[in-house]
């Protein structure tokens, strides 16, 4: 694993927020970082060059979806995911565990793995720890995630405990199946919403000296305060010298609160999903550009933003594109939202270096509000 190294460069003296640098075979990642999601080997509506222009350092692709279509062997023959999608920066692949978890009525969880029916054609499928790692190794991502069992919200204690211990057992199997020296494997801390289970899982995983650790099973419908409490309880037991990745979290307020609690990496589809529905993040909060009141608004989406959309187009024009059904509307909103988040993370990295993240966060909230996302 010489290609992977995490440098903890600075810890904010007032909050414990971390400024780091993760070295991978396809480049260096400055942390804390937000990772845009390219589920089908593509961040919806955006080209790789546009992603670079907005400051994306690493993107996430989806093991479950790429396994079903076009299949990992086709991607391998194409030269791996980086070549296939023309992205020469780092890629993280999830394990498929959360997508299988989301199928609910279409799956059957057993110790050997999960039987499920494809959402595409109903065909019977199976993924276990070994299969998940084999798929991810064929895809050729820089960072692979272990196959885990995610508990729903709410969830009773016994069910959460069984899922957490199964996740630990599955991690051991993932590690045995992991043979690629140029790919890192991250474990995933589970335990639902029970602090003692989270702490136990974190302690056990810390013994394994993996390149990094995910935090799964949060942001699944619980109040945000519950998620923040779980992070605070478990963080003291997460290895200090390894990156910490909070999975599936990406609203501006949750990114801030996660960084304040010591998280290094985040991903979420929220930014591009709401963009396609006409909503953008701005320095004054959320803005729905499709609304009629913006028809004759000839100002940028966000006057304080330097993205391509804000430099060249107005709210009135983008609203017109939405009403006319033009694809450019989705593209411009997506470019803006990813730019907003990547540059927000850049500002937080700078604030951490100056031991000033608390002041930065208070200033951000004073202007944007805490819940308008």
């Amino acid at each position: 694993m010489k290609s992977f190294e995490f440098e903890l460069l600075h810890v904010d003296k007032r909050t414990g927020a971390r400024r780091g640098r993760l070295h991978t075979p396809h480049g260096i990642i400055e942390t804390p970082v937000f990772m845009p999601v390219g589920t089908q080997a593509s961040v919806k509506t955006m080209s790789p060059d546009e992603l670079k222009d907005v400051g994306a350092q690493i993107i996430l692709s989806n093991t479950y979806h790429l396994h079903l279509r076009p299949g990992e062997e086709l991607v391998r023959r194409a030269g791996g995911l980086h070549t296939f999608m023309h992205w020469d920066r780092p890629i993280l692949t999830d394990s498929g565990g959360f997508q299988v978890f989301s199928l609910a009525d279409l799956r059957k969880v057993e110790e050997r793995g999960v039987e499920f029916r494809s959402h595409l054609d109903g065909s019977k499928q199976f993924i276990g720890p070994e299969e998940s790692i084999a798929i991810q190794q064929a895809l050729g991502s820089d960072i692979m995630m272990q196959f885990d069992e995610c508990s729903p919200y709410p969830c009773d204690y016994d069910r959460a405990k069984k899922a957490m211990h199964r996740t630990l057992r599955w991690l051991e199997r993932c590690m045995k199946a992991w043979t690629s020296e140029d790919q890192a494997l991250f474990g995933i801390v589970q335990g639902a919403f029970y602090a003692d289970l989270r702490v136990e899982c974190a302690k056990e995983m810390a013994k394994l000296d993996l390149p990094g650790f995910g935090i799964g099973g949060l942001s699944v419908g619980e109040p945000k305060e519950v998620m923040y409490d779980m992070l605070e309880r478990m963080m003291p037991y997460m290895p200090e010298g390894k990156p910490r990745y909070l999975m599936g979290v990406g609203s501006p307020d949750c990114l801030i609160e996660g960084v304040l609690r010591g998280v290094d990496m985040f991903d979420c589809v929220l930014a591009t999903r709401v963009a396609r529905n006409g909503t953008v993040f701005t320095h004054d909060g959320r803005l729905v550009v499709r609304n009629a009141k913006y028809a004759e608004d000839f100002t940028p989406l966000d006057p304080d933003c330097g993205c391509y959309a804000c430099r060249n187009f107005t709210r009135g024009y983008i609203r017109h594109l939405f009403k006319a059904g033009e694809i450019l509307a989705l593209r411009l909103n997506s470019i803006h939202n990813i730019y907003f988040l990547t540059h927000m993370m850049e500002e937080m990295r700078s604030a951490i270096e100056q031991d000033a993240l608390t002041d930065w966060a208070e200033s951000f909230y004073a202007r944007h509000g805490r819940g308008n996302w």
Side-chain angles (χ1 to χ4, degrees):
M1 300 303 298
K2 293 181 180 179
S3 300
F4 292 88
E5 179 187 1
F6 180 67
E7 300 177 77
L8 186 56
L9 302 176
H10 187 76
V11 177
D12 184 276
K13 291 181 174 60
R14 297 166 64 186
T15 66
R18 294 145 54 91
R19 169 73 174 91
R21 183 171 292 146
L22 178 59
H23 297 257
T24 80
H26 286 89
I28 293 172
I29 303 164
E30 304 290 346
T31 66
V33 63
F34 171 76
M35 302 181 285
V37 177
T39 300
Q40 309 273 7
S42 172
V43 177
K44 291 188 186 301
T45 78
M46 295 183 67
S47 72
D49 286 345
E50 288 168 337
L51 287 166
K52 290 179 180 180
D53 287 343
V54 299
Q57 302 182 69
I58 173 176
I59 62 174
L60 179 146
S61 286
N62 189 283
T63 295
Y64 166 85
H65 288 283
L66 293 175
H67 170 60
L68 295 180
R69 181 179 55 194
E72 64 274 13
E73 287 306 317
L74 185 149
V75 175
R76 189 207 296 271
R77 291 195 299 273
L81 201 50
H82 292 88
T83 301
F84 189 54
M85 65 186 296
H86 189 58
W87 176 256
D88 59 6
R89 294 183 179 180
I91 297 174
L92 182 149
T93 46
D94 58 15
S95 67
F98 181 78
Q99 284 67 41
V100 171
F101 155 78
S102 301
L103 292 173
D105 296 336
L106 299 177
R107 62 172 168 80
K108 180 182 179 183
V109 181
E110 301 175 329
E111 187 62 27
R112 68 188 186 98
V114 182
E115 291 183 349
F116 62 96
R117 289 192 176 275
S118 165
H119 72 287
L120 296 176
D121 58 12
S123 61
K124 289 184 178 181
Q125 302 283 335
F126 175 83
I127 296 180
E130 294 81 8
E131 288 78 11
S132 176
I133 296 301
I135 294 167
Q136 293 182 78
Q137 290 188 151
L139 293 173
S141 56
D142 297 272
I143 300 172
M144 307 182 294
M145 302 305 297
Q146 76 150 112
F147 194 66
D148 61 329
E149 182 176 358
C150 182
S151 300
Y153 178 82
C155 175
D156 65 66
Y157 187 86
D158 287 343
R159 180 175 180 181
K161 184 176 182 178
K162 289 178 181 177
M164 183 273 284
H165 282 290
R166 177 172 282 157
T167 293
L168 288 172
R169 293 192 298 272
W170 281 358
L171 176 55
E172 292 181 1
R173 289 167 55 188
C174 286
M175 292 176 68
K176 290 178 181 178
W178 171 31
T179 59
S180 177
E181 293 185 356
D182 59 354
Q183 291 177 275
L185 174 64
F186 282 22
I188 301 177
V189 176
Q190 291 288 357
F193 302 93
Y194 300 97
D196 63 322
L197 297 181
R198 289 273 173 185
V199 169
E200 180 183 354
C201 192
K203 285 182 175 179
E204 290 301 312
M205 287 195 176
K207 299 175 183 177
L208 300 176
D209 193 32
L210 289 166
F213 297 90
I215 301 166
L218 297 177
S219 191
V220 292
E222 78 281 4
K224 291 179 180 179
E225 293 72 19
V226 174
M227 177 175 69
Y228 301 153
D229 179 61
M230 286 297 103
L231 290 175
E232 291 171 4
R233 303 271 195 108
M234 65 186 289
M235 272 313 174
Y237 304 94
M238 299 287 287
E240 187 174 297
K242 302 295 178 67
R244 306 163 177 173
Y245 162 32
L246 180 56
M247 306 177 72
V249 171
S251 65
D253 55 334
C254 287
L255 293 177
I256 293 169
E257 297 301 324
V259 170
L260 284 166
R261 289 163 174 80
V263 176
D264 305 301
M265 303 170 67
F266 305 82
D267 83 280
C268 193
V269 298
L270 178 69
T272 48
R273 177 176 289 167
V274 299
R276 298 192 302 276
N277 292 326
T279 299
V280 291
F281 305 140
T282 79
H283 284 83
D284 292 312
R286 181 180 286 214
L287 184 150
V288 184
V289 73
R290 299 178 65 135
N291 288 351
K293 65 180 179 179
Y294 299 114
E296 296 187 34
D297 187 335
F298 305 125
T299 61
L301 291 172
D302 184 347
D304 293 330
C305 177
C307 79
Y308 172 78
C310 290
R311 293 197 316 269
N312 295 284
F313 304 100
T314 67
R315 297 173 180 180
Y317 176 69
I318 295 174
R319 179 183 184 272
H320 156 69
L321 294 178
F322 269 105
K323 300 302 288 185
E326 290 290 340
I327 294 173
L328 183 58
L330 284 62
R331 288 172 41 73
L332 293 176
N333 272 13
S334 297
I335 287 170
H336 170 80
N337 276 357
I338 297 298
Y339 181 99
F340 184 93
L341 294 184
T342 57
H343 283 259
M344 189 182 84
M345 302 304 286
E346 184 178 335
E347 290 179 8
M348 281 197 278
R349 291 195 294 269
S350 178
I352 292 170
E353 291 170 356
Q354 302 170 52
D355 297 310
L357 186 60
T358 299
D359 295 335
W360 182 91
E362 289 176 354
S363 175
F364 183 95
Y365 284 138
R367 181 168 180 182
H368 302 68
R370 288 180 177 267
N372 188 25
W373 302 110

